[in-house]
Amino acid sequence: MASITIDGIVKQFSGQTVLQNLSLHIPDGAFYTLLGPSGCGKTTLLRCIAGFYEPDGGRLLFDKDDVTRVSTHHRDIGMVFQDYALFPDKSAFDNVAYGLRARKVAKPEIVRRVGEALEKVGLSALADRYPAQMSGGQRQRVALARALVIRPRVLLMDEPLSNLDAKMRLQMRDVILDLVREAGITTVFVTHDQEEALAMSDRIAIMDRGSIAQLGTPEELYGTPVNAYVADFIGSANVIPVAARRVDDGAASTAPHVRYQLAGQALDGVQGGPQLGNDSVLIARPEDLSLMAPAPHVPNALHGQVLRRQYLGFKTAYRIALQDGPEIRVELHAGNTVADFQAGDAVQVLVPADSRVVSA
Ligand SMILES: Nc1ncnc2c1ncn2[C@@H]1O[C@H](COP(=O)(O)OP(=O)(O)O)[C@@H](O)[C@H]1O
Ligand SMILES: [Mg+2]
Protein backbone atom coordinates (compact mmCIF):
# COMPACT_ATOMS: atom_id res chain seq x y z
CA MET A 1 0.00 0.00 0.00
CA ALA A 2 1.11 3.52 -0.57
CA SER A 3 0.09 7.12 -0.30
CA ILE A 4 -0.36 9.00 -3.58
CA THR A 5 0.98 12.51 -4.08
CA ILE A 6 -0.13 14.36 -7.18
CA ASP A 7 2.07 17.42 -7.38
CA GLY A 8 1.16 20.09 -9.93
CA ILE A 9 0.16 17.71 -12.72
CA VAL A 10 -0.47 19.33 -16.10
CA LYS A 11 -1.92 17.41 -19.04
CA GLN A 12 -2.65 18.77 -22.47
CA PHE A 13 -4.16 17.22 -25.58
CA SER A 14 -3.27 19.00 -28.81
CA GLY A 15 -2.99 22.40 -27.14
CA GLN A 16 -6.06 21.98 -24.90
CA THR A 17 -5.15 21.96 -21.19
CA VAL A 18 -7.20 19.21 -19.57
CA LEU A 19 -5.47 19.12 -16.16
CA GLN A 20 -4.34 22.49 -14.85
CA ASN A 21 -1.52 22.25 -12.33
CA LEU A 22 -3.52 19.85 -10.19
CA SER A 23 -2.31 18.78 -6.74
CA LEU A 24 -3.81 16.23 -4.37
CA HIS A 25 -2.44 14.06 -1.57
CA ILE A 26 -4.15 10.77 -0.83
CA PRO A 27 -3.01 9.16 2.43
CA ASP A 28 -2.10 5.47 2.61
CA GLY A 29 -5.23 3.34 2.90
CA ALA A 30 -7.71 6.14 2.18
CA PHE A 31 -10.69 5.97 -0.18
CA TYR A 32 -10.78 9.16 -2.27
CA THR A 33 -13.30 9.96 -4.97
CA LEU A 34 -12.92 12.21 -8.00
CA LEU A 35 -16.36 13.65 -8.68
CA GLY A 36 -17.39 15.95 -11.49
CA PRO A 37 -19.39 16.27 -14.68
CA SER A 38 -18.45 14.52 -17.91
CA GLY A 39 -15.37 16.04 -19.53
CA CYS A 40 -13.89 17.66 -16.39
CA GLY A 41 -10.76 15.46 -16.51
CA LYS A 42 -11.45 12.60 -14.08
CA THR A 43 -10.40 9.81 -16.41
CA THR A 44 -7.38 11.77 -17.59
CA LEU A 45 -6.19 12.19 -14.00
CA LEU A 46 -6.75 8.51 -13.25
CA ARG A 47 -4.86 7.53 -16.40
CA CYS A 48 -1.96 9.76 -15.35
CA ILE A 49 -1.87 8.02 -11.96
CA ALA A 50 -1.97 4.66 -13.75
CA GLY A 51 0.77 5.64 -16.17
CA PHE A 52 -1.32 5.29 -19.34
CA TYR A 53 -0.72 9.03 -19.93
CA GLU A 54 2.50 10.85 -19.31
CA PRO A 55 1.82 14.28 -17.80
CA ASP A 56 3.23 17.40 -19.46
CA GLY A 57 4.23 18.82 -16.11
CA GLY A 58 4.33 17.99 -12.42
CA ARG A 59 5.23 14.90 -10.44
CA LEU A 60 3.52 11.79 -9.17
CA LEU A 61 4.71 9.97 -6.03
CA PHE A 62 3.69 6.65 -4.50
CA ASP A 63 4.90 7.08 -0.93
CA LYS A 64 8.29 8.72 -1.47
CA ASP A 65 8.92 7.04 -4.83
CA ASP A 66 8.75 9.33 -7.85
CA VAL A 67 6.84 7.23 -10.39
CA THR A 68 6.23 10.00 -12.93
CA ARG A 69 8.40 8.25 -15.55
CA VAL A 70 7.79 4.69 -14.38
CA SER A 71 5.81 2.50 -16.79
CA THR A 72 2.33 1.29 -15.87
CA HIS A 73 3.74 -2.18 -15.69
CA HIS A 74 6.09 -1.30 -12.86
CA ARG A 75 3.73 0.91 -10.85
CA ASP A 76 1.94 -1.96 -9.13
CA ILE A 77 -1.58 -0.67 -9.65
CA GLY A 78 -4.90 -2.45 -9.84
CA MET A 79 -7.41 -0.95 -12.23
CA VAL A 80 -11.16 -1.45 -12.71
CA PHE A 81 -12.99 0.07 -15.68
CA GLN A 82 -16.60 0.92 -16.39
CA ASP A 83 -16.80 -1.65 -19.20
CA TYR A 84 -15.07 -4.39 -17.11
CA ALA A 85 -12.36 -4.93 -19.78
CA LEU A 86 -12.22 -8.69 -19.17
CA PHE A 87 -10.59 -11.07 -21.63
CA PRO A 88 -13.62 -12.53 -23.42
CA ASP A 89 -11.84 -15.76 -24.30
CA LYS A 90 -10.70 -16.50 -20.75
CA SER A 91 -12.74 -18.00 -17.90
CA ALA A 92 -13.28 -16.08 -14.67
CA PHE A 93 -10.42 -18.08 -13.15
CA ASP A 94 -8.03 -17.30 -15.99
CA ASN A 95 -9.00 -13.62 -16.02
CA VAL A 96 -8.14 -13.34 -12.34
CA ALA A 97 -4.99 -15.46 -12.74
CA TYR A 98 -3.68 -13.30 -15.57
CA GLY A 99 -1.65 -10.83 -13.48
CA LEU A 100 -0.17 -13.58 -11.32
CA ARG A 101 0.95 -15.59 -14.36
CA ALA A 102 2.50 -12.43 -15.86
CA ARG A 103 4.43 -12.08 -12.60
CA LYS A 104 5.60 -15.72 -12.81
CA VAL A 105 3.94 -16.71 -9.55
CA ALA A 106 4.20 -20.46 -8.86
CA LYS A 107 1.21 -22.54 -9.99
CA PRO A 108 0.00 -23.81 -6.59
CA GLU A 109 0.08 -20.26 -5.25
CA ILE A 110 -1.90 -19.04 -8.27
CA VAL A 111 -4.58 -21.65 -7.62
CA ARG A 112 -4.74 -20.69 -3.96
CA ARG A 113 -4.81 -16.90 -4.46
CA VAL A 114 -7.28 -16.91 -7.37
CA GLY A 115 -9.53 -19.24 -5.35
CA GLU A 116 -9.38 -16.84 -2.41
CA ALA A 117 -10.04 -13.78 -4.59
CA LEU A 118 -13.06 -15.39 -6.29
CA GLU A 119 -14.41 -16.45 -2.91
CA LYS A 120 -14.11 -12.90 -1.57
CA VAL A 121 -16.24 -11.54 -4.42
CA GLY A 122 -18.72 -14.42 -4.05
CA LEU A 123 -17.93 -16.13 -7.36
CA SER A 124 -16.32 -19.43 -6.33
CA ALA A 125 -19.06 -21.36 -8.12
CA LEU A 126 -18.54 -19.49 -11.41
CA ALA A 127 -14.77 -19.93 -11.82
CA ASP A 128 -15.18 -21.75 -15.15
CA ARG A 129 -17.65 -19.30 -16.70
CA TYR A 130 -16.68 -16.98 -19.54
CA PRO A 131 -17.57 -13.26 -19.41
CA ALA A 132 -20.40 -13.70 -21.93
CA GLN A 133 -22.01 -16.19 -19.54
CA MET A 134 -22.08 -13.75 -16.63
CA SER A 135 -24.22 -10.76 -15.61
CA GLY A 136 -22.79 -7.24 -15.45
CA GLY A 137 -22.48 -7.41 -11.68
CA GLN A 138 -20.67 -10.76 -11.88
CA ARG A 139 -18.26 -9.45 -14.53
CA GLN A 140 -17.45 -6.43 -12.40
CA ARG A 141 -16.76 -8.76 -9.46
CA VAL A 142 -14.30 -10.70 -11.65
CA ALA A 143 -12.67 -7.40 -12.63
CA LEU A 144 -12.40 -6.43 -8.96
CA ALA A 145 -10.90 -9.81 -8.03
CA ARG A 146 -8.43 -9.49 -10.93
CA ALA A 147 -7.36 -6.01 -9.76
CA LEU A 148 -6.90 -7.02 -6.12
CA VAL A 149 -5.34 -10.48 -6.51
CA ILE A 150 -1.96 -8.97 -7.42
CA ARG A 151 -1.99 -7.02 -4.11
CA PRO A 152 -1.36 -3.68 -5.80
CA ARG A 153 -0.07 -0.58 -4.02
CA VAL A 154 -3.04 1.45 -5.20
CA LEU A 155 -6.45 0.64 -6.66
CA LEU A 156 -7.88 2.87 -9.39
CA MET A 157 -11.54 2.59 -10.39
CA ASP A 158 -13.07 4.53 -13.28
CA GLU A 159 -16.88 4.67 -12.96
CA PRO A 160 -16.97 0.95 -12.12
CA LEU A 161 -20.68 0.98 -11.27
CA SER A 162 -22.04 3.06 -14.14
CA ASN A 163 -23.00 0.12 -16.37
CA LEU A 164 -24.93 -1.72 -13.65
CA ASP A 165 -28.63 -1.47 -12.87
CA ALA A 166 -29.69 0.55 -9.83
CA LYS A 167 -30.05 -2.38 -7.45
CA MET A 168 -26.73 -3.97 -8.40
CA ARG A 169 -25.01 -0.56 -8.10
CA LEU A 170 -26.07 -0.35 -4.46
CA GLN A 171 -24.93 -3.92 -3.74
CA MET A 172 -21.57 -3.37 -5.43
CA ARG A 173 -20.88 -0.29 -3.29
CA ASP A 174 -20.75 -2.59 -0.28
CA VAL A 175 -18.78 -5.30 -2.07
CA ILE A 176 -16.13 -2.74 -3.05
CA LEU A 177 -15.96 -1.06 0.35
CA ASP A 178 -15.74 -4.39 2.21
CA LEU A 179 -12.87 -5.54 -0.01
CA VAL A 180 -10.81 -2.35 -0.04
CA ARG A 181 -11.24 -1.84 3.70
CA GLU A 182 -10.15 -5.39 4.40
CA ALA A 183 -7.14 -5.03 2.12
CA GLY A 184 -6.42 -1.53 3.50
CA ILE A 185 -5.63 -0.43 -0.02
CA THR A 186 -5.35 3.20 -1.13
CA THR A 187 -8.21 3.73 -3.59
CA VAL A 188 -9.02 6.42 -6.13
CA PHE A 189 -12.60 6.05 -7.28
CA VAL A 190 -14.09 8.05 -10.15
CA THR A 191 -17.78 8.79 -10.48
CA HIS A 192 -20.17 11.44 -11.76
CA ASP A 193 -22.81 10.23 -9.27
CA GLN A 194 -22.83 12.49 -6.21
CA GLU A 195 -24.78 10.10 -4.03
CA GLU A 196 -22.28 7.33 -4.74
CA ALA A 197 -19.45 9.70 -3.82
CA LEU A 198 -21.12 10.75 -0.58
CA ALA A 199 -21.90 7.18 0.42
CA MET A 200 -18.48 5.67 -0.22
CA SER A 201 -15.70 8.21 0.26
CA ASP A 202 -13.36 9.29 3.03
CA ARG A 203 -12.82 12.44 1.01
CA ILE A 204 -14.20 13.75 -2.27
CA ALA A 205 -12.35 15.98 -4.73
CA ILE A 206 -14.89 17.91 -6.78
CA MET A 207 -13.38 18.65 -10.16
CA ASP A 208 -14.21 21.61 -12.38
CA ARG A 209 -12.54 21.91 -15.79
CA GLY A 210 -9.28 20.25 -14.87
CA SER A 211 -8.91 21.70 -11.38
CA ILE A 212 -10.12 20.70 -7.93
CA ALA A 213 -12.93 23.03 -6.90
CA GLN A 214 -13.03 21.62 -3.36
CA LEU A 215 -11.57 18.72 -1.42
CA GLY A 216 -13.34 17.59 1.71
CA THR A 217 -15.24 14.95 3.61
CA PRO A 218 -18.79 14.29 2.39
CA GLU A 219 -20.07 16.30 5.37
CA GLU A 220 -17.81 19.26 4.59
CA LEU A 221 -18.81 19.39 0.94
CA TYR A 222 -22.49 19.16 1.73
CA GLY A 223 -22.43 21.52 4.72
CA THR A 224 -19.89 24.13 3.65
CA PRO A 225 -19.50 24.24 -0.12
CA VAL A 226 -16.95 26.91 -1.10
CA ASN A 227 -18.83 28.12 -4.14
CA ALA A 228 -22.03 27.80 -6.11
CA TYR A 229 -20.57 25.14 -8.41
CA VAL A 230 -19.88 22.77 -5.50
CA ALA A 231 -23.18 23.57 -3.76
CA ASP A 232 -25.09 22.79 -6.89
CA PHE A 233 -23.16 19.63 -7.68
CA ILE A 234 -23.45 18.06 -4.21
CA GLY A 235 -27.08 17.69 -3.28
CA SER A 236 -29.42 20.33 -4.54
CA ALA A 237 -29.20 23.92 -3.44
CA ASN A 238 -30.93 27.21 -4.05
CA VAL A 239 -28.21 29.50 -5.39
CA ILE A 240 -29.64 32.99 -5.21
CA PRO A 241 -27.93 36.30 -6.00
CA VAL A 242 -27.92 38.66 -3.03
CA ALA A 243 -26.93 42.31 -2.68
CA ALA A 244 -24.00 42.91 -0.34
CA ARG A 245 -23.82 46.13 1.61
CA ARG A 246 -21.01 47.39 3.82
CA VAL A 247 -22.35 48.45 7.20
CA ASP A 248 -20.46 50.62 9.67
CA ASP A 249 -21.60 49.99 13.24
CA GLY A 250 -19.56 52.91 14.50
CA ALA A 251 -16.94 52.73 17.23
CA ALA A 252 -18.26 49.46 18.69
CA SER A 253 -16.99 47.29 15.88
CA THR A 254 -13.37 47.15 14.84
CA ALA A 255 -14.16 47.01 11.14
CA PRO A 256 -17.19 47.62 8.99
CA HIS A 257 -18.92 44.36 8.20
CA VAL A 258 -21.09 43.18 5.36
CA ARG A 259 -24.83 42.64 5.39
CA TYR A 260 -26.82 40.92 2.71
CA GLN A 261 -30.16 41.70 1.19
CA LEU A 262 -32.51 39.49 -0.77
CA ALA A 263 -35.75 40.65 -2.38
CA GLY A 264 -35.64 43.85 -0.37
CA GLN A 265 -35.27 42.02 2.94
CA ALA A 266 -32.14 42.27 5.10
CA LEU A 267 -30.75 38.86 6.03
CA ASP A 268 -29.64 38.87 9.67
CA GLY A 269 -26.80 36.69 10.81
CA VAL A 270 -26.07 35.34 7.34
CA GLN A 271 -22.32 35.00 7.03
CA GLY A 272 -20.25 35.57 3.96
CA GLY A 273 -16.61 35.41 3.01
CA PRO A 274 -14.40 38.43 2.53
CA GLN A 275 -15.84 39.10 -0.91
CA LEU A 276 -18.15 42.03 -1.33
CA GLY A 277 -18.59 41.94 -5.06
CA ASN A 278 -21.75 41.89 -7.07
CA ASP A 279 -21.39 38.14 -7.58
CA SER A 280 -22.43 37.10 -4.06
CA VAL A 281 -24.93 34.25 -3.85
CA LEU A 282 -26.85 32.79 -0.94
CA ILE A 283 -26.59 29.00 -0.68
CA ALA A 284 -29.75 27.55 0.83
CA ARG A 285 -30.56 23.86 0.85
CA PRO A 286 -34.30 23.26 0.30
CA GLU A 287 -34.49 21.18 3.49
CA ASP A 288 -32.95 24.00 5.58
CA LEU A 289 -35.74 26.44 4.68
CA SER A 290 -39.17 26.52 6.24
CA LEU A 291 -42.52 28.16 5.53
CA MET A 292 -45.02 30.16 7.56
CA ALA A 293 -48.12 32.19 6.88
CA PRO A 294 -47.37 35.89 6.28
CA ALA A 295 -46.87 37.85 9.50
CA PRO A 296 -45.23 41.22 10.18
CA HIS A 297 -41.75 41.75 11.64
CA VAL A 298 -40.34 38.24 11.22
CA PRO A 299 -36.56 38.34 10.73
CA ASN A 300 -35.15 36.67 7.61
CA ALA A 301 -38.61 36.01 6.20
CA LEU A 302 -39.01 36.43 2.47
CA HIS A 303 -42.50 37.03 1.13
CA GLY A 304 -43.64 34.87 -1.72
CA GLN A 305 -46.35 32.75 -3.24
CA VAL A 306 -46.56 28.98 -3.66
CA LEU A 307 -46.31 28.04 -7.33
CA ARG A 308 -46.48 24.28 -6.88
CA ARG A 309 -46.73 21.80 -4.06
CA GLN A 310 -45.49 18.26 -4.63
CA TYR A 311 -46.19 15.52 -2.10
CA LEU A 312 -43.30 13.03 -2.07
CA GLY A 313 -44.15 10.79 0.87
CA PHE A 314 -41.32 11.42 3.29
CA LYS A 315 -41.26 15.10 2.32
CA THR A 316 -43.26 17.76 0.52
CA ALA A 317 -41.50 20.01 -2.01
CA TYR A 318 -42.62 23.55 -2.73
CA ARG A 319 -41.70 25.94 -5.52
CA ILE A 320 -42.10 29.48 -4.25
CA ALA A 321 -42.00 32.68 -6.31
CA LEU A 322 -40.37 35.29 -4.08
CA GLN A 323 -41.90 38.73 -4.19
CA ASP A 324 -39.52 40.95 -6.21
CA GLY A 325 -37.15 38.01 -6.38
CA PRO A 326 -36.39 34.68 -8.02
CA GLU A 327 -37.93 31.26 -7.41
CA ILE A 328 -36.82 29.24 -4.41
CA ARG A 329 -37.32 25.57 -3.54
CA VAL A 330 -38.36 24.52 -0.05
CA GLU A 331 -38.72 20.96 1.29
CA LEU A 332 -40.62 20.17 4.44
CA HIS A 333 -40.13 16.73 5.92
CA ALA A 334 -43.02 14.56 7.02
CA GLY A 335 -43.60 15.10 10.73
CA ASN A 336 -42.76 18.78 10.40
CA THR A 337 -45.51 20.48 12.38
CA VAL A 338 -45.59 23.58 10.15
CA ALA A 339 -48.94 24.16 8.48
CA ASP A 340 -49.32 22.85 4.97
CA PHE A 341 -49.67 25.25 2.03
CA GLN A 342 -51.24 24.95 -1.41
CA ALA A 343 -50.49 26.48 -4.79
CA GLY A 344 -51.53 30.13 -4.78
CA ASP A 345 -51.08 30.62 -1.00
CA ALA A 346 -49.11 33.62 0.19
CA VAL A 347 -46.26 32.47 2.43
CA GLN A 348 -43.03 33.56 4.05
CA VAL A 349 -39.86 31.60 3.48
CA LEU A 350 -37.65 31.53 6.58
CA VAL A 351 -33.92 31.66 5.86
CA PRO A 352 -31.79 30.26 8.71
CA ALA A 353 -29.50 32.84 10.27
CA ASP A 354 -26.50 30.57 9.75
CA SER A 355 -26.92 30.35 5.98
CA ARG A 356 -23.85 31.15 3.92
CA VAL A 357 -23.07 33.58 1.17
CA VAL A 358 -20.32 32.63 -1.24
CA SER A 359 -18.88 33.94 -4.45
CA ALA A 360 -20.73 32.85 -7.58
N1 LIG B 1 -6.84 10.90 -25.62
C1 LIG B 1 -7.39 12.13 -25.71
N2 LIG B 1 -7.13 12.94 -26.75
C2 LIG B 1 -7.66 14.18 -26.85
N3 LIG B 1 -8.49 14.71 -25.93
C3 LIG B 1 -8.80 13.95 -24.86
C4 LIG B 1 -8.28 12.63 -24.70
N4 LIG B 1 -8.75 12.12 -23.52
C5 LIG B 1 -9.55 13.08 -23.01
N5 LIG B 1 -9.59 14.18 -23.81
C6 LIG B 1 -10.33 15.42 -23.52
O1 LIG B 1 -10.03 15.82 -22.20
C7 LIG B 1 -11.16 16.30 -21.53
C8 LIG B 1 -11.39 15.52 -20.24
O2 LIG B 1 -11.73 14.20 -20.59
P1 LIG B 1 -11.89 13.04 -19.50
O3 LIG B 1 -10.68 13.01 -18.63
O4 LIG B 1 -12.23 11.80 -20.23
O5 LIG B 1 -13.13 13.58 -18.66
P2 LIG B 1 -14.11 12.78 -17.65
O6 LIG B 1 -13.53 11.44 -17.37
O7 LIG B 1 -14.19 13.67 -16.44
O8 LIG B 1 -15.43 12.70 -18.35
C9 LIG B 1 -12.30 16.23 -22.52
O9 LIG B 1 -12.47 17.47 -23.11
C10 LIG B 1 -11.82 15.20 -23.52
O10 LIG B 1 -12.39 15.45 -24.78
MG1 LIG C 1 -14.30 9.52 -17.66
Side-chain angles (χ1 to χ4, degrees), residues 32 84 86 102 106 130-131 139-140 154 166 230 232 237 247 291 297 324 353:
Y32 272 42
Y84 324 124
L86 298 177
Y130 288 84
R139 284 182 220 179
Q140 202 53 302
V154 305
V230 175
D232 212 33
V247 177
L291 294 179
H297 311 306
D324 305 321

Side-chain angles (χ1 to χ4, degrees), residues 42-44 158-159 190:
K42 305 181 296 294
T43 293
T44 303
D158 194 355
E159 310 227 11
V190 166

Side-chain angles (χ1 to χ4, degrees), residues 12-14 16-19 36-47 53 158-159 190 207:
Q12 296 167 328
F13 291 114
S14 47
Q16 182 205 359
T17 303
V18 171
L19 297 177
S38 181
C40 71
K42 305 181 296 294
T43 293
T44 303
L45 180 55
L46 209 67
R47 293 180 77 90
Y53 290 155
D158 194 355
E159 310 227 11
V190 166
M207 291 182 61

Side-chain angles (χ1 to χ4, degrees), residues 290-303:
S290 56
L291 294 179
M292 63 178 285
H297 311 306
V298 180
N300 292 354
L302 308 170
H303 289 272

